[in-house]
Amino acid sequence: MPIGTLEVLLVDAKGLDNNDFMADMDPYVLLTVNTQEKKSTVVSAQGSNPEWNETFLFTISDDSADLHLKIMEKDNFSADDYVGEAIISLEPVFEEGSLLPTAYNVVNQEKEYRGGIKVGLKFTPEAEPEERSEYRSGEGAETEESYGGWKQSAYGEE
């Protein structure tokens, strides 16, 4: 698995199952990669078709394989309601570098379709550390004199 930074563009959702019988739903998304969790803003007054257009950054390590999107509905007087979730494999973005915003199915705990969520992904691999010049030897290596070695020291001079 590569190491680097994953940029997630949370665009919008369409046709979410509205759990709030009294009013329009106020959804938000919990985005998780391994133990890193981010929360989108709560979108009010857009009902089942919210738009976020928010970007989130995750640090990717060797064991990162999926992006989990958990859609919740904000309740003011009780616990927030679970709407559904989408799990996105990160393998394609590791291979391609970026994926244009794409719609993914949102399903509930019984794996029933509950709408769609559109997400764009971009992966930036961590740069390989370059070999440090002071540890090189052979042709092209700097000598002690070229970077202020002991021969240029004034210590011990009278």
Side-chain angles (χ1 to χ4, degrees):
M1 288 268 163
I3 297 174
T5 302
L6 176 68
E7 181 178 325
V8 178
L9 173 61
L10 178 62
V11 180
D12 61 20
K14 301 284 184 208
L16 293 179
D17 192 26
N18 189 353
N19 295 345
D20 197 339
F21 302 108
M22 303 300 286
D24 278 341
M25 64 188 306
D26 300 322
Y28 65 92
V29 180
L30 296 173
L31 302 92
T32 309
V33 175
N34 288 346
T35 60
Q36 302 170 72
E37 185 175 88
K38 315 276 182 175
K39 181 182 173 186
S40 75
T41 56
V42 175
V43 177
S44 297
Q46 292 185 24
S48 298
N49 300 307
E51 291 185 19
W52 289 279
N53 291 314
E54 290 183 66
T55 301
F56 303 89
L57 297 177
F58 292 92
T59 301
I60 300 300
S61 60
D62 287 334
D63 56 351
S64 302
D66 295 318
L67 168 66
H68 294 257
L69 305 172
K70 185 175 180 182
I71 298 97
M72 301 293 291
E73 201 274 315
K74 178 77 176 152
D75 277 338
N76 291 326
F77 303 109
S78 63
D80 292 353
D81 296 323
Y82 172 84
V83 175
E85 63 186 293
I87 299 173
I88 302 170
S89 172
L90 296 177
E91 282 299 323
V93 76
F94 291 156
E95 293 171 10
E96 300 294 324
S98 66
L99 297 174
L100 293 174
T102 304
Y104 297 90
N105 287 343
V106 174
V107 296
N108 65 9
Q109 291 165 331
E110 291 78 35
K111 304 297 180 203
E112 298 168 332
Y113 179 79
R114 291 294 180 243
I117 190 163
K118 189 183 288 186
V119 176
L121 302 171
K122 181 180 178 185
F123 178 69
T124 305
E126 186 176 282
E128 293 292 322
E130 292 185 27
E131 190 177 343
R132 296 181 54 150
S133 63
E134 60 262 30
Y135 296 116
R136 289 189 310 195
S137 60
E139 191 173 321
E142 289 90 3
T143 62
E144 291 179 43
E145 292 83 6
S146 68
Y147 59 89
W150 65 271
K151 289 185 178 180
Q152 293 178 345
S153 173
Y155 182 75
E157 290 183 6
E158 307 213 3

